[in-house]
Amino acid sequence: MQVFREKQPLIQAIQRIKSDGKSIGLVPTMGALHEGHLSLVQNALKESDQVVVSIFVNPTQFDNPEDLEKYPRNLEKDLELLKKEKADIWVFSPTANELYGDKIFSQNFDFEGLESVMEGEFRTGHFDGVGTVVKHLFEIITPNKAFFGEKDYQQLQIIKKLTRTTGLPVEIVGCPILRETSGLARSSRNERLSSQHRVEAAFIYKTLKTANQLFGTESAEYVTNWVENQFKSNKHLKLEYFEIANSETLKKISTKEKGKQYRAFIAAYANDIRLIDNIALDN
Ligand code: PAF
């Protein structure tokens, strides 16, 4: 494993790899790695000659300074976890100035509405920050493929749009959500849950699975009301939103149309910890 703190040596190493006709797979992360990230790395190892994992807590995607400050950072622990893969992974872990230069700011993107629903509605400027950092990473690392988890499904759709609009030649690979045994989607935030909340949070996926079954026969409105009522009677979790949307446009639906694909999305709080999850509605 090699750790690069600066862009130039990484750029040169990548040029050497590419001049041998080999491919680069990128797994962008903000650290606090867990099994979910490792599954992205495993997919990247299967599909690329050289894997680069970026570990960078990106300040421009946080709308809340306290959240940014509290975000867990432990590079040593992350490197230990990556060593479990027993592969020559390259890690890119720059400072904010190394990545952004002197001025740390977000570019404004038009993701044709993908950015303004759900997470975008509740986290102002979040996707401009994500788009900005991912574009920088793609320009520096020039990956052939980049791997993103479907847990952040809206982010995945936005990154696909980003590559289409910028013309950056990278294939975006969406990877399935990895879950704890209880069904709770793996997330760096799970570590911050109390042991009771970690058990109670399994309710999110359980509700999504039932919503999927109900959607087979019921309308989106019926399923939405049902989910909202389930959360009203749960004293451990507070629902922020539940939405049924078109899987591609992420537009909220009122009526189902034949041949279209839909997905259900949840954001909920366990105390001050915000959890998100989603499911394909394919019953
Ligand atoms: O999903 C994440 O961890 C981040 O949003 C990403 C894609 C690494 C950008 O900072």
Side-chain angles (χ1 to χ4, degrees):
M1 176 152 28
Q2 282 189 66
V3 181
F4 296 84
R5 305 301 303 244
E6 291 169 2
K7 328 183 235 206
Q8 269 322 313
L10 176 64
I11 291 171
Q12 281 157 12
I14 286 171
Q15 277 167 355
R16 283 196 292 275
I17 287 280
K18 287 199 149 180
S19 64
D20 287 345
K22 292 184 176 160
S23 65
I24 303 285
L26 170 65
V27 181
T29 81
M30 296 210 298
L33 302 184
H34 51 72
E35 296 294 326
H37 294 110
L38 287 190
S39 79
L40 299 181
V41 173
Q42 285 150 13
N43 283 321
L45 285 167
K46 272 187 226 136
E47 295 189 31
S48 342
D49 296 311
Q50 178 63 57
V51 170
V52 180
V53 176
S54 63
I55 298 184
F56 175 66
V57 181
N58 173 34
T60 65
Q61 69 187 75
F62 287 81
D63 56 340
N64 175 346
E66 206 182 313
D67 218 18
L68 171 62
E69 201 189 313
K70 275 197 196 151
Y71 203 87
R73 295 163 174 86
N74 190 337
L75 184 61
E76 289 312 310
K77 202 169 156 204
D78 290 341
L79 298 180
E80 280 310 310
L81 199 67
L82 288 174
K83 279 186 194 150
K84 276 172 57 180
E85 292 308 316
K86 305 208 180 323
D88 178 25
I89 295 166
W90 292 356
V91 173
F92 180 43
S93 176
T95 61
N97 289 118
E98 177 64 17
L99 192 87
Y100 278 96
D102 293 345
K103 296 204 175 95
I104 301 169
F105 67 95
S106 287
Q107 194 178 327
N108 287 328
F109 292 97
D110 177 2
F111 295 119
E112 293 172 10
L114 289 175
E115 73 281 25
S116 48
V117 294
M118 297 187 289
E119 293 303 285
E121 199 180 330
F122 290 92
R123 302 175 72 188
T124 319
H126 172 68
F127 287 120
D128 277 340
V130 171
T132 304
V133 76
V134 170
K135 188 165 168 265
H136 279 309
L137 290 169
F138 285 178
E139 284 164 349
I140 296 165
I141 298 164
T142 62
N144 301 78
K145 294 185 182 184
F147 299 78
F148 293 85
E150 283 187 346
K151 179 175 159 288
D152 295 299
Y153 189 85
Q154 187 173 4
Q155 168 173 281
L156 173 64
Q157 293 306 103
I158 281 175
I159 303 297
K160 284 183 179 167
K161 175 76 78 190
L162 176 80
T163 55
R164 284 197 293 271
T165 52
T166 56
L168 286 165
V170 45
E171 183 188 329
I172 306 303
V173 184
C175 304
I177 301 175
L178 209 75
R179 298 186 178 279
E180 301 191 353
T181 327
S182 68
L184 175 65
R186 299 244 180 205
S187 161
S188 309
R189 293 170 192 238
N190 295 358
E191 299 306 316
R192 290 173 51 211
L193 292 168
S194 68
S195 47
Q196 188 187 7
H197 272 133
R198 199 153 177 164
V199 173
E200 301 295 345
F203 177 81
I204 297 173
Y205 183 52
K206 197 167 154 246
T207 309
L208 281 174
K209 280 197 299 186
T210 313
N212 183 22
Q213 277 161 15
L214 286 173
F215 193 68
T217 51
E218 306 291 346
S219 68
E221 190 187 357
Y222 177 95
V223 179
T224 306
N225 287 336
W226 180 82
V227 170
E228 287 173 356
N229 284 329
Q230 294 302 301
F231 273 89
K232 273 183 198 143
S233 46
N234 183 312
K235 58 182 190 315
H236 304 283
L237 300 167
K238 190 167 175 296
L239 183 66
E240 185 168 65
Y241 65 74
F242 171 79
E243 275 197 30
I244 295 181
N246 179 299
S247 302
E248 241 178 69
T249 63
L250 301 185
K251 286 208 169 73
K252 192 172 173 168
I253 64 148
S254 43
T255 46
K256 296 183 218 176
E257 283 175 52
K258 270 224 164 78
K260 293 264 163 72
Q261 291 186 329
Y262 301 110
R263 238 175 149 94
F265 299 84
I266 279 185
Y269 278 92
N271 270 346
D272 61 338
I273 301 163
R274 191 168 180 279
L275 301 167
I276 59 170
D277 202 350
N278 67 83
I279 194 168
L281 295 175
D282 51 9
N283 36 88

